[in-house]
Amino acid sequence: MPLSTVRHQLLRRAAFGVRSLASVSSSSPPPNPYTVGPYQIFDRNAKRMQRDRAATREGGERSRTVDYVREEVAVRMMERFMDIKREFNTVVDLGSGPGHFSRLLWPEKAKKAIMLDSSKATLHRDPDEEFDVEVERIHGDEENLLQYLPKDSQEAIVSCLSLQWINDLPGILVQINQSLKPDGLFLGAMFGGETLFELRTALQLAEVEREGGISPHVSPMTDTRDVSNLLGRAGFTLLTVDTDEVQVAYPSMWELVQDLQDMGESNAVIGRRTHVGRDTLAAASAIYKELHGNEDGSIPATFQVIYMIGWKKADSQPKPLERGSGKVNLKEVL
């Protein structure tokens, strides 16, 4: 399907609706503080449960209604993917969800997509008939990639809006690098640190006003500089990192929060509050509209997206000239 057609369909989709607010809680225990390993920020079990519930609510229709952010980011990722003048036999879609990126692939560019996701319900939400390429689905934890993919085995790995929920981001980037063949491609997109800054500030101000303190309601996220450094440390070369924004208008904060829940993007930080008072939420909604509201009465929600491209090292890749090998004096040029 041409990208212009895909984008046209996305722009026609409506993100509005009247919904009631619901809170998400988890019975998952906090991590053992004496466990050796990466610091645990996110409750991965709670996140899997959130996404399973979101994918099965009303037979998946609620989930499909709120695909608009992921579909738009998948289209922008595909534009970057198409700029790479190479054909692939297989593309691994890490943290694929129902396959927003894989659904845009066509046989002239890739013959097969391997979709890997920790949420079984999300992974199997949409049938194979909706894809133009062969699809293989693997239900597994993205944080343990090397359990499912042998080292030096893949031509390309992509990830569309899943890395922001990984506890050990440096570790998963190393695993991705190890899974790739020499000169293999990694293309990813993840939410950046400015995502939902309007919601974050509104909730914080409301909690200070009504409760005398604040607690985390929006997950911590990384920024462009961190991503570039982590890719380099993981062994990737020829790096490209850039940011973009997707801004969506909602009637009020209530519809935004409900859509985040239907996306499976509710807060999953360990130690988070599982209940916020109605008075605090009402105050946050009023503050949100006062500080950030649009002239037409709606409120904006900003999703900052960090795009990254890296290549596994290979002898065939272009290399910088050795220091001191230049033939032209810069003073003559300038």
Side-chain angles (χ1 to χ4, degrees):
M1 181 182 297
L3 286 176
S4 59
T5 303
V6 174
R7 185 175 294 278
H8 179 67
Q9 291 177 353
L10 293 176
L11 293 175
R12 292 181 57 191
R13 299 190 62 160
F16 294 161
V18 179
R19 302 174 176 90
S20 59
L21 178 69
S23 61
V24 177
S25 63
S26 170
S27 58
S28 302
N32 185 344
Y34 302 104
T35 300
V36 177
Y39 184 75
Q40 301 295 297
I41 302 172
F42 305 113
D43 186 335
R44 295 280 296 173
N45 184 55
K47 176 51 56 185
R48 178 187 56 78
M49 293 168 60
Q50 290 173 3
R51 298 181 64 227
D52 281 345
R53 284 194 292 266
T56 56
R57 194 174 290 125
E58 296 182 7
E61 287 307 310
R62 290 273 289 274
S63 176
R64 292 185 183 92
T65 300
V66 295
D67 277 344
Y68 48 87
V69 174
R70 285 194 176 92
E71 287 179 343
E72 175 63 24
V73 173
V75 168
R76 299 184 188 188
M77 278 185 61
M78 181 56 68
E79 291 172 347
R80 291 163 170 79
F81 188 69
M82 292 304 299
D83 286 338
I84 298 169
K85 306 305 180 185
R86 184 184 295 187
E87 296 178 3
F88 301 91
N89 289 312
T90 302
V91 174
V92 175
D93 192 348
L94 179 65
S96 62
H100 299 102
F101 182 87
S102 295
R103 193 179 289 109
L104 300 179
L105 290 169
W106 60 88
E108 290 77 8
K109 190 67 175 177
K111 295 180 175 61
K112 179 180 178 180
I114 299 176
M115 296 163 50
L116 190 155
D117 199 279
S118 58
S119 168
K120 187 174 183 179
T122 306
L123 180 66
H124 293 278
R125 192 194 72 180
D126 298 336
D128 290 355
E129 291 73 22
E130 295 189 10
F131 298 82
D132 293 327
V133 299
E134 179 187 352
V135 175
E136 177 185 345
R137 304 175 199 249
I138 300 176
H139 176 223
D141 187 355
E142 300 94 329
E143 289 192 336
N144 300 310
L145 180 61
L146 289 176
Q147 290 186 9
Y148 312 102
L149 301 179
K151 291 184 177 181
D152 303 312
S153 64
Q154 303 302 318
E155 299 172 86
I157 298 177
V158 302
S159 179
C160 182
L161 298 183
S162 69
L163 294 178
Q164 65 269 9
W165 295 113
I166 297 293
N167 281 304
D168 185 11
L169 185 57
I172 192 59
L173 291 176
V174 169
Q175 290 187 66
I176 291 171
N177 186 279
Q178 291 177 344
S179 300
L180 289 169
K181 296 178 179 180
D183 202 31
L185 166 70
F186 170 58
L187 168 63
M190 64 185 294
F191 286 133
E194 294 302 311
T195 295
L196 298 178
F197 72 89
E198 305 99 336
L199 178 62
R200 182 186 298 114
T201 55
L203 286 169
Q204 289 175 348
L205 290 172
E207 279 194 319
V208 170
E209 175 189 330
R210 298 300 173 95
E211 304 178 26
I214 61 174
S215 57
H217 296 286
V218 178
S219 300
M221 299 173 189
T222 188
D223 61 27
T224 309
R225 184 171 48 191
D226 294 332
V227 170
S228 182
N229 291 336
L230 291 175
L231 285 170
R233 287 172 52 190
F236 288 100
T237 63
L238 307 175
L239 305 180
T240 302
V241 178
D242 65 290
T243 61
D244 202 353
E245 289 185 353
V246 176
Q247 193 170 86
V248 183
Y250 295 87
S252 71
M253 189 190 80
W254 308 102
E255 285 79 15
L256 166 60
V257 173
Q258 183 62 62
D259 272 19
L260 290 174
Q261 182 184 2
D262 290 339
M263 292 176 190
E265 290 293 329
S266 299
N267 187 13
V269 174
I270 292 173
R272 65 200 177 282
R273 291 178 61 183
T274 58
H275 176 74
V276 181
R278 188 81 180 186
D279 288 346
T280 300
L281 290 173
S285 180
I287 292 170
Y288 199 133
K289 185 159 290 191
E290 178 67 24
L291 291 181
H292 307 292
N294 297 319
E295 292 183 0
D296 62 0
S298 64
I299 54 109
T302 301
F303 298 85
Q304 184 191 43
V305 185
I306 302 174
Y307 298 93
M308 62 202 83
I309 300 175
W311 298 84
K312 186 168 182 176
K313 289 181 180 179
D315 293 338
S316 59
Q317 291 173 347
K319 296 177 176 61
L321 295 175
E322 293 184 6
R323 187 179 178 86
S325 62
K327 302 292 185 181
V328 179
N329 192 320
L330 282 178
K331 290 183 179 180
E332 298 177 4
V333 176
L334 300 175

